[in-house]
Amino acid sequence: MRGEDNLVIIPTGGGKSLCYQIPALLLAGTTIVISPLIALMKDQVDQLLAYGIKAACLTGAQSPEEQQSVMKQYTQGNIKLLYIAPERLATSAFSSLIRAIPPSLIAIDEAHCISQWGHDFRPEYLQIGQLKAKFPNIPIIALTATADEMTRKDIIERLNLNQPNIRISSFDRPNIRYTVVERFNPLEQISSFLENQKGNSGIIYCSSRAKVDDMASRLANRGYSVVAYHAGLTPDARAYAQERFLKDDVPIMIATVAFGMGINKPNVRFVIHANVPRTIEAYYQETGRAGRDGLPAEALLLYNSKDFNWYKKLLDEKEEGVHKSIESHKLNEMVAFTQAQTCRRIVLLNYFGEHRIEKCNNCDVCLYPLEHYDGLVDAQKILSCVYRVEQRYGAQYIVDVLRGSNRASIKENGHHALSVYGIGKDQTSDYWISVIRQLIHLGYLKQNLTAFSTLYLSEDARNVLRGNVTLSLVKPRLELVKKSRQNRYARAINQTTILSYEERILFNNLKRLRKEIAEMEDVAPYIIFSDESLLEMVQTLPENRKELLGITGVGKIKLEKYGELFLDEIESFITNH
């Protein structure tokens, strides 16, 4: 509102859109929103129109007449929010339009796409960096759910933002339960999971088009209602698949990462990764599509060393340099996450720079904990070693010094003469790597991404070295029995039932009514009301318009359009029960 640039990092479902929608309504003129997916734009425009807000999108899927109509509305000042794809900026007609009538605000959604360290997406995103030069006095707000410190710096640099305000919200999504399981029979494991998710919407991610098609075929043969989505399908087929999923016609979407960038569907109850993502950013972004409405959701990751070996093979083929080094580091972080014996949420939050030591009690590690021990002495050995080698080496080198390795480089560096040399030879290399990972996850050790992941001490490490803290670590468990992991996984997926039998009947009745209205209006059901709104109606049983207006997500316009229908449904239920 003060005309300053902003970088906003808020997790999925945390209210990113409000950060530009509210200023858009308050400012004179039009706000332009640059967004990556046509389906997402249409979805957001439908939602804004349902609230009585003047919004439109300009896409290649529209006819020339429709595009001309939208541009005319822009010229006449009849649009508060105009959504465009990044490619639109390259067209001469649109460039001329915004030069003649500049917007009041420019919002860039999914801004991590512009970063070389972020997700590979579309080269057109790099054109957005020229906007600041063309419109130096127009504020730009860049938004994303996922960006580590390096990606944040890259976004600011590439967008040429002018001393932006940086707003980083908590990355925590406490309603999502994280479960990580070794993959040994994916079809059986996923089918077992789905048995506990009947009637729920969810996404299953696979790493290739062929795997998507295979998984879709196999699950369909088992009687599941699924739809496939990947870049090998025609644009019409992809749009149709996405529409069926968004409108709750099909509950399960099986897709590559081409699907779901910023997907605006709040009632996704689970996300399954049948293959490991390359980075923690990608994993966090994709799991974040579950539970946007704040209700309980599940994230199941199936991992296998074959996934990592494949990614490493692809990395080996790349040219040496900083970029390759960073990609390698991020892959190693993903490996460490799958093998972590520390609370999953602690690992994720500390990765994004949010220091947390309290366990979440909503992940597989917390719910089915491994054995803990007093790890202070082990931690002191590692931290002391890192310090004595001048914080210039990676994890494996530290382990080799601790274990008294005869490695030539250790002798050449004179590190065989250090007091820490050989003090950890009573444990295996894997044991020490496990402890180092825990110290990284807990924030006592940091890694320098641009210098081959060398380890260095954080400020908090001082207290450990001085023995001023108690430090409980997970006893490294280096051989996990598949059966025990399978049992832990089976127990982890049962959700707490939050509704009684009668309440579930009303909830389903309200969902059916919502679906009927949505089909008549040709929009996704959650645009009428979210699951959260329906759940609140079930729990409070509003009896009149005033009480219904107090429900989350029920504004005056929606009250006028749908209020009586929902009140009648609730009254009918109360009368019959």
Side-chain angles (χ1 to χ4, degrees), residues 299-531:
L300 171 65
L301 169 61
L302 302 179
Y303 75 92
N304 189 290
S305 58
K306 288 179 184 174
D307 296 335
F308 296 123
N309 292 340
W310 170 247
Y311 291 144
K312 284 172 181 171
K313 181 174 177 290
L314 294 177
L315 262 179
D316 288 342
E317 294 168 2
K318 294 194 173 185
E319 285 183 31
E320 294 297 330
V322 174
H323 201 169
K324 179 178 177 178
S325 172
I326 288 173
E327 280 192 54
S328 178
H329 170 82
K330 293 196 172 203
L331 180 58
N332 288 337
E333 287 293 301
M334 195 66 225
V335 175
F337 175 72
T338 62
Q339 297 172 4
Q341 296 167 355
T342 312
C343 164
R344 304 282 180 200
R345 206 173 309 271
I346 285 178
V347 178
L348 288 173
L349 295 178
N350 277 302
Y351 179 84
F352 289 111
E354 186 175 334
H355 187 55
R356 181 80 63 92
I357 57 173
E358 304 86 12
K359 295 190 294 183
C360 75
N361 296 317
N362 196 26
C363 72
D364 58 325
V365 174
C366 287
L367 292 168
Y368 312 100
L370 299 171
E371 191 181 346
H372 281 71
Y373 77 110
D374 181 353
L376 185 62
V377 173
D378 278 355
Q380 287 172 330
K381 287 178 181 178
I382 290 166
L383 298 176
S384 180
C385 187
V386 171
Y387 180 75
R388 288 175 191 280
V389 300
E390 299 174 339
Q391 307 181 82
R392 291 171 51 202
Y393 297 88
Q396 192 56 56
Y397 188 90
I398 299 300
V399 170
D400 288 345
V401 172
L402 284 173
R403 297 190 69 243
S405 166
N406 290 321
R407 190 170 156 176
S409 57
I410 290 176
K411 293 192 174 178
E412 287 167 11
N413 295 326
H415 292 154
H416 63 297
L418 295 175
S419 59
V420 291
Y421 180 74
I423 62 172
K425 59 186 170 190
D426 56 326
Q427 299 290 358
T428 65
S429 177
D430 286 343
Y431 177 95
W432 289 114
I433 288 288
S434 171
V435 178
I436 286 174
R437 281 179 182 151
Q438 291 185 65
L439 294 178
I440 292 169
H441 297 157
L442 291 168
Y444 295 116
L445 274 177
K446 302 279 188 184
Q447 289 175 292
N448 187 338
L449 278 70
T450 56
F452 307 103
S453 300
T454 54
L455 296 172
Y456 63 97
L457 307 184
S458 71
E459 280 298 314
D460 293 325
R462 293 172 186 263
N463 290 325
V464 177
L465 284 168
R466 291 171 180 162
N468 293 340
V469 294
T470 56
L471 187 60
S472 176
L473 297 178
V474 173
K475 203 165 191 175
R477 190 166 151 194
L478 308 172
E479 291 184 13
L480 293 171
V481 181
K482 284 182 181 177
K483 188 176 180 185
S484 70
R485 284 307 292 265
Q486 193 178 357
N487 289 343
R488 285 172 61 211
Y489 147 69
R491 289 167 63 201
I493 61 174
N494 291 320
Q495 272 191 351
T496 305
T497 305
I498 51 178
L499 297 177
S500 68
Y501 175 73
E502 287 79 12
E503 287 173 330
R504 281 204 298 275
I505 293 172
L506 176 57
F507 186 62
N508 288 331
N509 290 350
L510 295 178
K511 282 176 74 174
R512 176 187 44 74
L513 173 61
R514 179 180 68 176
K515 186 87 169 74
E516 289 169 0
I517 298 169
E519 284 175 352
M520 284 191 291
E521 297 194 2
D522 193 28
V523 294
Y526 57 82
I527 286 175
I528 309 302
F529 287 125
S530 69
D531 278 8

Side-chain angles (χ1 to χ4, degrees), residues 120-177:
D120 296 327
F121 201 53
R122 295 213 293 258
E124 292 82 6
Y125 252 75
L126 300 179
Q127 299 174 7
I128 304 171
Q130 300 163 16
L131 283 171
K132 200 66 198 174
K134 292 177 182 174
F135 303 104
N137 299 319
I138 293 175
I140 291 178
I141 178 168
L143 311 103
T144 179
T146 317
D148 60 10
E149 187 177 356
M150 183 164 293
T151 305
R152 296 196 288 268
K153 287 179 181 173
D154 210 39
I155 291 170
I156 292 168
E157 198 173 297
R158 285 174 178 267
L159 288 178
N160 298 303
L161 299 184
N162 181 25
Q163 296 181 316
N165 302 300
I166 301 174
R167 164 67 180 170
I168 303 173
S169 179
S170 170
F171 285 89
D172 195 9
R173 295 286 305 283
N175 61 313
I176 298 178
R177 175 174 296 178

Side-chain angles (χ1 to χ4, degrees), residues 58-204:
L58 200 53
T59 76
Q62 295 167 323
S63 67
E65 293 76 21
E66 286 174 315
Q67 292 184 38
Q68 283 299 320
S69 171
V70 171
M71 289 169 79
K72 186 178 179 183
Q73 288 179 65
Y74 179 91
T75 305
Q76 293 172 342
N78 291 333
I79 298 173
K80 289 306 293 181
L81 287 117
L82 177 62
Y83 288 77
I84 65 165
E87 291 87 345
R88 182 66 48 181
L89 295 170
T91 65
S92 56
F94 188 75
S95 293
S96 300
L97 178 68
I98 59 174
R99 269 202 302 272
I101 307 171
S104 55
L105 172 67
I106 298 170
I108 299 162
D109 210 0
E110 307 296 343
H112 59 269
C113 296
I114 203 165
S115 168
Q116 61 181 314
W117 311 126
H119 302 267
D120 296 327
F121 201 53
R122 295 213 293 258
E124 292 82 6
Y125 252 75
L126 300 179
Q127 299 174 7
I128 304 171
Q130 300 163 16
L131 283 171
K132 200 66 198 174
K134 292 177 182 174
F135 303 104
N137 299 319
I138 293 175
I140 291 178
I141 178 168
L143 311 103
T144 179
T146 317
D148 60 10
E149 187 177 356
M150 183 164 293
T151 305
R152 296 196 288 268
K153 287 179 181 173
D154 210 39
I155 291 170
I156 292 168
E157 198 173 297
R158 285 174 178 267
L159 288 178
N160 298 303
L161 299 184
N162 181 25
Q163 296 181 316
N165 302 300
I166 301 174
R167 164 67 180 170
I168 303 173
S169 179
S170 170
F171 285 89
D172 195 9
R173 295 286 305 283
N175 61 313
I176 298 178
R177 175 174 296 178
Y178 299 104
T179 303
V180 180
V181 186
E182 189 173 359
R183 187 176 73 244
F184 52 90
N185 187 338
L187 186 63
E188 290 300 329
Q189 289 172 292
I190 289 171
S191 296
S192 172
F193 181 93
L194 294 177
E195 283 302 304
N196 291 274
Q197 294 285 349
K198 283 182 177 172
N200 287 337
S201 279
I203 304 168
I204 302 173

